[in-house]
Amino acid sequence: MKTRKALITGVTGQDGSYLMEFLLEKGYEVHGVVRRASTMNRGRIDHLFDAATLGASGELSAGRFLHYGDLTDASSVNRLLREIKPDEIYNLGAQSHVKISFEIPEYTGDTVGLGTLRLLEGIRESGLEPRFYQAGSSEMFGLVQEIPQRESTPFYPRSPYGAAKCYAHWIAVNYREAYNMFICNGILFNHESPRRGENFVTRKITLGAAAIKLGLQSQLKLGNLEAKRDWGYAKDYVEAMWLMLQQDQPDDFVIATGETNTVREFCQAVFDHLGLDYKKHVVSDPMYFRPTEVELLIGDSSKARNKFGWTAKTKFADLAKLMADADLALLKKDHHL
């Protein structure tokens, strides 16, 4: 039986690292795209490779490859498509921080929106027929027009990131319908893990609470504590990405837990787990508010459940605990405590 090849953009990110692990366990040959940088940013995936080769590209361990490329550079995208000839492509690469997208809106649009277009156009021109997963976002719903949000809910983005994701979504739909390409949009609601970037609110909370627990700091400054989000576990969500591409027909799917909690409630869950009172340490600072806020997100993933049996396995309280425990262990190790 032929070994399937998967190409992952954004492989060094939270989702990319979990997806690479998942696909390797499924027996795939996995190719990850990394950007050239002055420092190695591969901490989430280095356990999958021979440490001696991590600064290189190419086949670093059996069945797993890294390639230099960039979604802002069509020539590198086209070269990788020609060389790899993937059976499945997972487009996870992006400038993915919502607040930062207000500060670098053009770059966000280039990577998130036009980066998707470069990949799709490269596929069309190459004559290849891979199955394509486009990473959508609940931020596309923004100022929500319906509760809960489902595949038919109108988009109303409230950030350059959300707007760029809307472009990527609709250009993917357009290429699917215009060129009969197998393309799925996964509209994933917030999904977290110990591998979440440290400037995302959940990770700020777990790192801050762990530092307070260890006496390394006394206060944690956050933005809007009343913002409501539908939080799941990233490791659960990458399975949904794969399942979408195993269906007979391409389609779009909301992936969510169907439950919503405030930032304040996430703080309370984490601090309580560590034996702390969040009210004594957490401060809401207007500096961390977005220019336009997204107040409430809650997804309806019944379509995914009915079509391919996906449901969120990890509950909100369990997610908060596993992230808190991981960051407590991390800080103990880093500070030799």
Side-chain angles (χ1 to χ4, degrees), residues 140-197:
M140 298 188 297
F141 294 121
L143 186 61
V144 298
Q145 304 298 292
E146 181 181 30
I147 299 172
Q149 295 87 57
R150 49 182 64 90
E151 293 80 6
S152 58
T153 303
F155 297 143
Y156 197 136
R158 299 277 279 171
S159 66
Y161 171 77
K165 280 292 186 184
C166 286
Y167 175 85
H169 175 96
W170 285 117
I171 200 66
V173 171
N174 185 260
Y175 269 67
R176 180 172 68 205
E177 296 177 354
Y179 304 116
N180 196 31
M181 294 166 68
F182 195 107
I183 300 170
C184 296
N185 284 295
I187 307 172
L188 273 58
F189 279 63
N190 292 65
H191 46 288
E192 318 298 317
S193 76
R195 299 181 191 176
R196 190 59 143 151

Side-chain angles (χ1 to χ4, degrees), residues 306-320:
N306 294 334
K307 185 75 173 180
F308 47 78
W310 184 89
T311 56
K313 300 181 182 73
T314 308
K315 299 298 183 184
F316 172 78
D318 295 328
L319 175 64

